[in-house]
Amino acid sequence: MNETAADQLHPDHEPVSKKPLSPMTKGVLMICGLAVVCAVAWSFLTAAGNPDPTTRGTNATSAILDIGILVFREGLECILVLAAITASMVGANQRHRRAVAVGAGIGAIATVITWFIAINIVSGLMNNFNALQIQAWTGLLAIVVLLTVMNWFFHKIYWGGWISAQRRQTKQLE
């Protein structure tokens, strides 16, 4: 019996039957995707590549669209992270999904609380620094956090799975 790399990493993986999407669903998804691409392109072209809803002369529709695209992009990023975390939770590991859902809920509440704290901190910093310096430092901090989490995730999932697959193969050879 030939095992794929995914089966070796997740021995309790149960095959999932995929139901094809209906033509109506495919059409709706394509229209929604096209609408998002058009909205992003319009925002990019009208803002000369740098949409900033706080600039003077920005109409309300443009500001709402710019902020909406930002929130949409961050939401997609959140979904991607949660999908990456729960992707390995199949079979016996499926019981961990509830903990991830609870953690995501707590994270959403913590986000609102952190937003209020951040607003107070940033308004205090605006007296000493300009907005670009604050954006640069918070961007660098975000990159460091992202790289740290990504490094941990890579070592935990991929290397841990690879090492366990190698150990299983070694035991089979003995």
Side-chain angles (χ1 to χ4, degrees), residues 58-107:
T58 303
N59 63 19
T61 305
S62 179
I64 290 170
L65 184 64
D66 291 342
I67 293 169
I69 289 172
L70 176 67
V71 171
F72 179 74
R73 188 190 75 205
E74 294 300 324
L76 287 178
E77 186 177 326
C78 178
I79 290 169
L80 178 66
V81 168
L82 287 174
I85 290 171
T86 59
S88 66
M89 296 179 186
V90 294
N93 291 333
Q94 198 167 11
R95 59 181 157 66
H96 298 298
R97 287 186 178 189
R98 172 174 241 136
V100 172
V102 170
I106 292 170

Side-chain angles (χ1 to χ4, degrees), residues 8 10 13 49 52 56 59 61 66 73-74 87 102 104 108-109 119 122 126 130 134 136 141 146 151 153 167:
Q8 290 174 355
H10 304 290
H13 175 74
D52 183 6
R56 291 184 185 204
N59 63 19
T61 305
D66 291 342
R73 188 190 75 205
E74 294 300 324
V102 170
I109 293 168
I119 292 297
V122 169
M126 290 299 279
N130 69 26
I134 293 172
L141 178 63
L146 179 66
N151 183 43
F153 186 71
R167 286 184 181 154

Side-chain angles (χ1 to χ4, degrees), residues 92-173:
N93 291 333
Q94 198 167 11
R95 59 181 157 66
H96 298 298
R97 287 186 178 189
R98 172 174 241 136
V100 172
V102 170
I106 292 170
I109 293 168
T111 299
V112 173
I113 294 169
T114 305
W115 180 76
F116 284 111
I117 294 169
I119 292 297
N120 289 328
I121 291 172
V122 169
S123 64
L125 289 174
M126 290 299 279
N127 298 331
N128 300 324
F129 302 101
N130 69 26
L132 290 177
Q133 289 174 326
I134 293 172
Q135 289 176 6
W137 284 108
T138 55
L140 287 173
L141 178 63
I143 289 169
V144 168
V145 169
L146 179 66
L147 289 175
T148 303
V149 170
M150 189 172 60
N151 183 43
W152 168 82
F153 186 71
F154 179 76
H155 282 85
K156 177 76 175 162
I157 300 299
Y158 293 106
W159 283 114
W162 184 82
I163 289 169
S164 66
Q166 295 303 317
R167 286 184 181 154
R168 275 195 306 276
Q169 286 180 351
T170 303
K171 287 180 182 178
Q172 288 175 354
L173 292 175

